[in-house]
Amino acid sequence: MGINIKVNDGKTTKLYHLEDVLNIGRSSKNHIIIKNPKVSKFHAQLILDLTGKIFIKDMFSLTGTILNSGHVNMEPLLIGDVVHIWDVQISIDDSTLDIATKKKVGKRTTGNRLEITLRYDPVKGTKTSKQEIGTKLTKATKDKRLS
């Protein structure tokens, strides 16, 4: 099967074909080489599992791997996601995927987050706070009241 991965370093965009694993890092032994001293020799991996899901895995790099806006250890990479390793952006090239493959890979949607806002109450002395919570909310979490 395989999936094309786009790698943009700000100057050029290259395509890499992911069959099972693509290694990312500063060393010439990697598939995707990022020549930046802040990037670890073996920084991260893109993994295509047997079900067709893609994962980004940080290989215990010192500076970390960012998926969209947060650091990750190992997370699914979905259509629409962007991995940042310093000034390099990595994403799925979905222009060549058929519908069945797109369903296997999955797509990031923007409507899957809940934002909670608390207002200031001068009588109770509560402060305003804003918090964004991820997609894995349980009923108990939704019903939890802040005191």
Side-chain angles (χ1 to χ4, degrees), residues 118-129 146-147:
L118 301 174
R119 308 243 181 248
Y120 177 72
D121 184 340
V123 175
K124 294 181 181 177
T126 57
K127 297 178 181 177
T128 301
S129 116
L146 299 174
S147 54

Side-chain angles (χ1 to χ4, degrees), residues 69-86:
S69 61
H71 285 271
V72 295
N73 291 322
M74 184 165 175
E75 291 289 328
L77 181 65
L78 305 176
I79 295 169
D81 284 347
V82 178
V83 174
H84 294 271
I85 299 177
W86 282 98

Side-chain angles (χ1 to χ4, degrees), residues 11 25 28 39 61 68-69 83 95 99 135 147:
K11 298 174 187 169
S28 61
V39 174
S61 65
N68 299 321
S69 61
V83 174
S95 64
I99 293 171
T135 58
S147 54

Side-chain angles (χ1 to χ4, degrees), residues 24-26 38-45 57-66 71-73 84-86:
I24 305 165
R26 196 176 71 236
K38 304 269 185 182
V39 174
S40 297
K41 287 181 182 178
F42 300 98
H43 196 98
Q45 287 184 325
K57 179 180 180 183
D58 185 81
M59 300 300 291
F60 306 103
S61 65
L62 289 176
T63 56
T65 301
I66 297 173
H71 285 271
V72 295
N73 291 322
H84 294 271
I85 299 177
W86 282 98

Side-chain angles (χ1 to χ4, degrees), residues 84-103:
H84 294 271
I85 299 177
W86 282 98
D87 54 353
V88 174
Q89 295 181 358
I90 301 169
S91 59
I92 298 170
D93 177 22
D94 64 334
S95 64
T96 59
L97 297 180
D98 59 31
I99 293 171
T101 305
K102 285 183 182 183
K103 284 182 181 179

